[in-house]
């Protein structure tokens, strides 16, 4: 086994710096020195539900960048010293219809998650990127394109690909009208990508002080969701409305904003929702969702971001400040993504 240092959960609000073990390199593995790891709302949810007395060990973190420090004998696509990125999926069955289609994120036997997952070969629990080293199957790591800042790129491996999926599947481009509801970790990247794709882009938010940010990010318009007149004026406008609001909310006002044959894509809140069928019927509107991305779309997204200068707006903290990052994230006190610098684990 390989030893490294990471931040392991000791309860629903606490992590402790501690030695952790990684597997010895398999023939198709690479070892990655993690330099930067993003902090995701999923980490909060995992910690909230964690009980060290009944659950397997938990080391959060599933969006990170770093440098290859070792390769298995069968690895030909990476070399030691190469900059790489790893997201929230580290393996899949590779044979089901979804995997064959390049959508490993929808693997019929469920993809192996970067943390809290079950290794497909030895059954061990995967431990995440809040650590100095990670061992990963080479096909689930991605070359970091030149020109991308590694710290600001880390959130692209989860938040970025999550919003990329609906933008690409709905063929967003010049002439497309896109709205983004909620301007947070997901939403700000959806705005940047929609703008880079050439879409006319609108931000919808109940927070007026996000107006300036929306325009700074490249949005053409801003709609205050608490203003009835503004919402009425935007009715039947958007070909795609990406809803990144993380709390339960009424979908009816947002479906009214979707144009005929348009789509409301839910990315933020993934629990049960209630929809009046009439809100879909009037205008032949569609309700959709997306989550993460397969290997093909993740690689495509990274190259697109490199070509168009798209990265996350981040605040970098040392890994020792992980508690501060999580506490502020709970209070939505971040614009727009925390990233941990893991170098203090040396």
């Amino acid at each position: 086994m390989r030893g490294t240092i990471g931040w392991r959960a000791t309860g629903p609000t606490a992590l402790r710096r501690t030695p952790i073990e990684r597997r010895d390199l398999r023939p198709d593995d690479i070892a990655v020195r993690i330099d930067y790891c993003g902090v995701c709302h999923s980490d909060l949810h995992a910690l909230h539900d964690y009980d060290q007395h009944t659950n397997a060990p938990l080391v959060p973190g599933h969006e990170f960048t770093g440098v290859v420090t070792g390769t298995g004998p069968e690895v030909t696509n990476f070399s030691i010293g190469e900059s790489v990125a790893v997201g929230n999926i580290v393996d899949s069955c590779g044979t089901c219809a979804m995997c064959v289609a390049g959508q490993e994120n929808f693997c019929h036997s469920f993809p192996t998650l970067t943390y809290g997952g079950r290794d497909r070969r030895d059954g061990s629990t995967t431990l995440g990127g809040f650590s100095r080293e990670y061992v990963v199957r080479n096909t689930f790591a991605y070359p970091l394109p030149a020109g991308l800042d590694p710290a600001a790129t880390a959130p692209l491996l989860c938040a970025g690909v999550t919003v990329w999926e609906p933008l690409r599947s709905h063929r967003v481009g010049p002439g497309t009208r896109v709205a983004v509801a909620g301007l947070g970790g997901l939403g700000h990247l959806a705005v940047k990508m929609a703008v880079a794709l050439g879409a006319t882009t609108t931000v919808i938010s109940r927070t007026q002080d996000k107006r300036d940010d929306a325009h700074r990010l490249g949005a053409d318009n801003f709609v205050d969701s608490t203003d009835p007149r503004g919402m009425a004026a935007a009715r039947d406008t958007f070909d795609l409305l990406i809803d990144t609001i993380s709390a339960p909310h009424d979908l009816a006002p947002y479906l009214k904003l979707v144009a005929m044959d348009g789509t409301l894509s839910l990315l933020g809140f993934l629990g049960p929702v209630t929809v009046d069928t009439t809100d879909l019927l009037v205008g032949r509107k569609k309700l959709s969702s997306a989550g993460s991305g397969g290997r093909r779309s993740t690689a495509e997204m990274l190259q697109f971001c490199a070509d168009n200068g798209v990265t996350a707006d981040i605040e970098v903290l040392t890994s020792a400040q992980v508690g501060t990052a999580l506490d502020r994230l709970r209070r939505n006190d971040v614009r727009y993504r925390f990233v941990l610098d893991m170098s203090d684990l040396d």
Side-chain angles (χ1 to χ4, degrees):
M1 300 294 285
R2 303 169 64 96
T4 188
I5 302 294
W7 292 95
R8 178 174 169 174
T10 58
T13 60
L15 296 115
R16 182 181 66 210
R17 176 175 167 150
T18 184
I20 61 174
E21 289 186 332
R22 299 295 187 192
R23 65 177 181 259
D24 290 326
L25 294 185
R26 296 166 181 160
D28 57 351
D29 277 342
I30 63 171
V32 178
R33 183 197 73 210
I34 301 174
D35 293 326
Y36 298 101
C37 185
V39 182
C40 179
H41 267 283
S42 299
D43 302 327
L44 283 180
H45 298 319
L47 284 165
H48 179 270
D49 296 334
Y50 183 69
D51 182 341
Q52 64 175 328
H53 301 294
T54 60
N55 296 125
L58 172 64
V59 176
H62 61 199
E63 48 182 45
F64 58 85
T65 58
V67 174
V68 177
T69 57
T71 62
E74 294 178 2
V75 175
T76 60
N77 57 332
F78 290 108
S79 57
I80 292 174
E82 188 172 353
S83 295
V84 296
V86 177
N88 62 346
I89 296 170
V90 292
D91 207 354
S92 70
C93 78
T95 59
C96 72
M98 288 297 180
C99 287
V100 171
Q103 295 285 175
E104 293 86 357
N105 51 320
F106 302 138
C107 177
H108 287 175
S109 59
F110 202 77
T112 302
L113 301 180
T114 308
Y115 71 86
R118 186 66 60 190
D119 185 272
R120 308 183 90 85
R121 303 191 200 182
D122 65 18
S124 61
T125 299
T126 55
L127 304 177
F130 287 5
S131 59
R132 191 53 162 155
E133 183 181 82
Y134 198 93
V135 173
V136 62
R137 188 179 173 192
N138 67 322
T139 50
F140 284 83
Y142 306 91
L144 188 67
L148 281 178
D149 175 72
T153 296
L156 298 181
L157 276 295
C158 177
V161 73
T162 295
V163 298
W164 177 254
E165 283 268 295
L167 288 168
R168 296 307 285 155
S169 65
H170 293 283
R171 297 182 175 86
V172 167
T176 309
R177 300 163 299 174
V178 172
V180 178
L183 196 59
L186 287 171
H188 89 288
L189 285 171
V191 172
K192 287 188 175 188
M193 290 181 180
V195 170
L197 286 165
T200 300
T201 306
T202 298
V203 168
I204 304 168
S205 176
R206 65 181 180 180
T207 307
Q208 271 292 332
D209 66 358
K210 296 286 182 75
R211 184 185 294 269
D212 289 343
D213 264 10
H215 291 301
R216 177 183 61 81
L217 293 167
D220 301 283
N221 305 296
F222 181 91
V223 175
D224 180 352
S225 62
T226 67
D227 176 15
R229 288 185 296 179
M231 292 288 280
R235 183 167 182 171
D236 299 328
T237 295
F238 305 110
D239 304 302
L240 175 65
L241 195 159
I242 296 178
D243 183 343
T244 70
I245 301 168
S246 59
H249 56 285
D250 184 9
L251 301 186
Y254 298 96
L255 279 168
K256 286 182 171 62
L257 306 185
V258 174
M260 180 175 285
D261 293 319
T263 300
L264 172 62
S265 182
L266 298 179
L267 304 185
F269 178 69
L270 300 181
V273 298
T274 300
V275 177
D276 188 333
T277 305
T278 304
D279 290 333
L280 298 174
L281 181 153
V282 178
R284 293 195 301 263
K285 299 174 182 181
K286 306 175 187 70
L287 184 63
S288 181
S289 187
S292 187
R295 292 188 296 142
R296 184 184 306 149
S297 62
T298 300
E300 178 190 55
M301 179 272 303
L302 283 170
Q303 190 58 56
F304 174 86
C305 288
D307 293 342
N308 292 275
V310 174
T311 53
D313 285 16
I314 61 170
E315 182 177 342
V316 178
L317 301 177
T318 65
S319 83
Q321 295 173 287
V322 61
T324 298
L326 291 166
D327 181 61
R328 287 180 56 192
L329 184 58
R330 288 186 189 96
R331 296 184 277 114
N332 291 319
D333 179 24
V334 58
R335 288 193 177 178
Y336 284 99
R337 203 78 164 184
F338 285 119
V339 171
L340 301 178
D341 180 342
M342 313 308 293
S343 61
D344 64 348
L345 292 179
D346 287 338

